Amino acid sequence: MSILTYIAGWPLLAALALVVVPRNYRVPIRAIAVLGTLISAVLAVKMFCQFVPGLNGYQFEQRIPWVESLGISYHVGVDGLNVGLILMGAIVAFAAALCSFEIQSREKEFYILLLVMSGGILGAFASLDLFFFYFLHELALIPTFIMIGVWGRGEKKNYATFQITLYLSAGALLALIGLIALYLAAGAHTFDIPELIAHVKANPIALSAQNFIFPLLLFGFGILVSLWPFHSWAPLGYGVAPSPTAMLHAGVLKKFGLYGLIRVALPMLPDALHSPVLAPGVLAHFPFCVLPVCVQQHLLSLGWVELLALLCVGNILYVGWVAMRQKDLNLLIGNSSVAHMGFIFLGIASLNLIGVSGAVLIMIAHGFLAALTFALSGYIYQQTGTLQISELGGLCRKLPFIGTALVMAAMAGCGLPGFANFAGEVTVFFGAWKVFPAITVLALWGALVIGGVYMTRAIRNVLHGPLPEKWNGLADAGHLWRKLPYALLLACLLIFGCWPRLLTEQINPAAEKVLPGYKMQLADPPTTARNRNAAATGNGGAGAHASESLLTSTLRSVATEDGSAPTK
């Protein structure tokens, strides 16, 4: 049995175990939840360390046929695109379980939902079958609505619950229609993603079908990721959600839509990427007919990828400006999370190796960052009972550890070198500059100026200045167990920020294969644990090639894509 099955299965087994535990056994309930996510995280670290970059095909594969008449099977495996996401998801799930001490009512039900949420999204990332890919995401998504509605805080929790339910249900429905249409249009009679990609490469889907399917996947997955202007559910939903729920959804579940675009849409629908959004006949009708000719010509040349690049500017600039006006710390963090999605969309829209690799890197880095910031804001709320920035101030005097962690998280959100976010964003900018120079300049301004303003201003108002007398009794995270989730997430940001090649070395070969124009190669013989180990030892281990810096690798990729030979 694959280690991936155990990674996703342990949280689900822990949830089943909690069903039979009496609800008044608070300590065993919490212990089982923490233990289940801990085992999953340890196995994910083991899997990440054993992964061999550059091997053709998938590693740690397991396939069990289920409904053979429809081509549905339980098929899991990892390559460079999802190995880091699974590691990030397992670590965030463990940190979320540790931060769940704020839940004081219906703890049993909360931990069951949290574990189902964790196991579902880990299984979705590991799945190589479209049916289970979608089903496991829905399994993780449904607990989100319940947890916000029951354990949410604030006067707007009911409104936020309805809003997030309507938006995400609509996005999931659009994505489902797109996936079903893709299955029917491909004609491969299988939901297996590798087989679908191979079949589509040999027998491309008709352009008319691609033009129908791609917008469904783009906007379906985009709504799930809070693509502007379909983003308004996210800040308010995270603002009222309990901290563990916000950590898991903003950090992990939100990456499902981005991963779906990269894994499914890019390799299977390459001809639709640059297809015009508007048909020529549309411009003869109002209001397009009154537009200047130059604008009409621009609209005619606007493809779906170009539209995605324009929409991501809304995430970066508009949502960034909204974040600057927030008076609630959680709403500020929620809008900041939505703004960071714009950089990932920009990397995907670049359609080159540098940009897509940077997008995957930001997905992993943002998962750690979003979980950390919502965990810290949750601790502050538990201590103070409010997240209104005007009522806070000088908290570093009473909360030195939490305050220091929040400063470091804010600096990571600003893209400070040394954190993983910087490595991802600078890589995306390199890739996007070749395709969208004007949009890249706007994105740089949004990252450096707008992001810097609202993050540093929040740190000044929350942590510095005079301390109100009512906060003299605040208690910092005292023992190691309380500090562990914050320290763990910070450590991940720093490790992958100082050594981003730990991720890029794995991402690049897999990202190259999903880009349009990649030609399928003959598959290697089935990869077993023995020949994986042989490959690792024969090449001097995965770390033998880690001497090249991220910047050198990026510049080399730029030279290669411009047509010049790479320098050795």
Side-chain angles (χ1 to χ4, degrees), residues 249 291 465 509:
H249 195 281
L291 296 175

Side-chain angles (χ1 to χ4, degrees), residues 353-365:
L353 178 60
I354 309 171
V356 175
S357 297
V360 178
L361 184 53
I362 297 178
M363 288 163 63
I364 299 169

Side-chain angles (χ1 to χ4, degrees), residues 442-455:
L442 293 175
L444 276 166
W445 185 69
L448 297 176
V449 178
I450 298 179
V453 168
Y454 65 69
M455 278 297 186

Side-chain angles (χ1 to χ4, degrees), residues 490-566:
L490 264 177
C492 292
L493 284 171
L494 289 169
I495 289 172
F496 292 125
C498 294
W499 295 279
R501 195 172 181 84
L502 293 173
L503 292 172
T504 58
E505 191 178 52
Q506 300 172 349
I507 296 170
N508 289 343
E512 183 180 12
K513 296 177 182 178
V514 302
L515 293 175
Y518 175 79
K519 295 181 179 180
M520 298 291 292
Q521 299 177 353
L522 292 176
D524 289 342
T527 304
T528 62
R530 178 176 297 178
N531 58 37
R532 277 199 303 269
N533 294 335
T537 55
N539 292 326
H545 302 283
S547 58
E548 192 174 45
S549 67
L550 174 66
L551 182 59
T552 304
S553 176
T554 302
L555 293 176
R556 177 173 296 178
S557 299
V558 173
T560 303
E561 292 180 6
D562 285 339
S564 57

Side-chain angles (χ1 to χ4, degrees), residues 43-361:
L43 292 175
V45 173
K46 178 183 177 183
M47 178 270 300
F48 185 82
C49 294
Q50 291 179 344
F51 183 86
V52 181
L55 288 185
N56 195 23
Y58 298 90
Q59 301 178 40
F60 309 107
E61 271 192 275
Q62 180 184 0
R63 184 172 183 178
I64 302 174
W66 189 44
V67 184
E68 296 186 13
S69 60
L70 296 177
I72 300 175
S73 62
Y74 173 77
H75 187 190
V76 294
V78 292
D79 62 0
L81 293 179
N82 59 345
V83 63
L85 291 172
I86 294 174
L87 173 69
M88 179 269 293
I91 292 176
V92 169
F94 173 58
L98 289 176
C99 292
S100 297
F101 54 81
E102 69 177 61
I103 304 300
Q104 300 296 324
S105 63
R106 298 181 180 178
E107 294 174 84
K108 175 180 175 178
E109 290 83 356
F110 181 87
Y111 281 110
I112 290 175
L113 293 173
L114 184 74
L115 291 168
V116 171
M117 195 176 176
S118 303
I121 193 58
L122 291 173
F125 283 143
S127 179
L128 296 177
D129 183 274
L130 279 181
F131 176 84
F132 283 99
F133 174 72
Y134 184 85
F135 167 76
L136 290 171
H137 170 260
E138 294 304 297
L139 182 68
L141 187 60
I142 292 173
T144 306
F145 309 145
I146 302 173
M147 295 164 83
I148 295 177
V150 176
W151 291 275
R153 54 196 181 216
E155 298 178 354
K156 294 185 177 181
K157 77 169 186 177
N158 291 331
Y159 172 76
T161 303
F162 283 116
Q163 186 184 42
I164 194 173
T165 302
L166 291 174
Y167 266 94
L168 297 188
S169 297
L173 179 60
L174 287 177
L176 176 62
I177 296 173
L179 294 176
I180 294 175
L182 177 62
Y183 168 80
L184 296 175
H189 304 292
T190 180
F191 281 88
D192 190 80
I193 294 176
E195 291 184 9
L196 277 172
I197 294 176
H199 180 83
V200 168
K201 293 287 185 182
N203 307 278
I205 299 174
L207 180 60
S208 59
Q210 291 193 37
N211 290 336
F212 172 75
I213 298 170
F214 185 78
L216 291 172
L217 296 182
L218 174 62
F219 290 110
F221 287 139
I223 292 173
L224 297 177
V225 184
S226 63
L227 173 65
W228 185 88
F230 313 104
H231 68 284
S232 59
W233 60 267
L236 182 58
Y238 299 148
V240 302
S243 300
T245 306
M247 292 170 65
L248 266 178
H249 195 281
V252 188
L253 260 73
K254 190 187 280 191
K255 309 306 182 295
F256 170 82
L258 299 163
Y259 176 67
L261 285 175
I262 297 173
R263 174 69 79 191
V264 178
L266 294 190
M268 297 194 204
L269 307 168
D271 298 330
L273 299 176
H274 294 288
S275 294
V277 175
L278 298 176
V282 175
L283 298 181
H285 302 282
F286 184 83
F288 300 104
C289 60
V290 301
L291 296 175
V293 176
C294 60
V295 176
Q296 293 185 18
Q297 292 176 348
H298 179 74
L299 290 176
L300 277 177
S301 63
L302 185 67
W304 289 109
V305 169
E306 290 77 15
L307 176 63
L308 177 61
L310 291 175
L311 293 179
C312 81
V313 176
N315 280 80
I316 298 171
L317 297 185
Y318 175 80
V319 182
W321 286 327
V322 172
M324 292 176 63
R325 299 295 299 169
Q326 295 307 311
K327 300 179 181 180
D328 181 278
L329 181 60
N330 247 18
L331 291 177
L332 185 149
I333 295 172
N335 280 282
S336 173
S337 174
V338 174
H340 278 82
M341 296 300 100
F343 300 114
I344 305 176
F345 282 121
L346 181 60
I348 296 175
S350 69
L351 291 182
N352 56 47
L353 178 60
I354 309 171
V356 175
S357 297
V360 178
L361 184 53

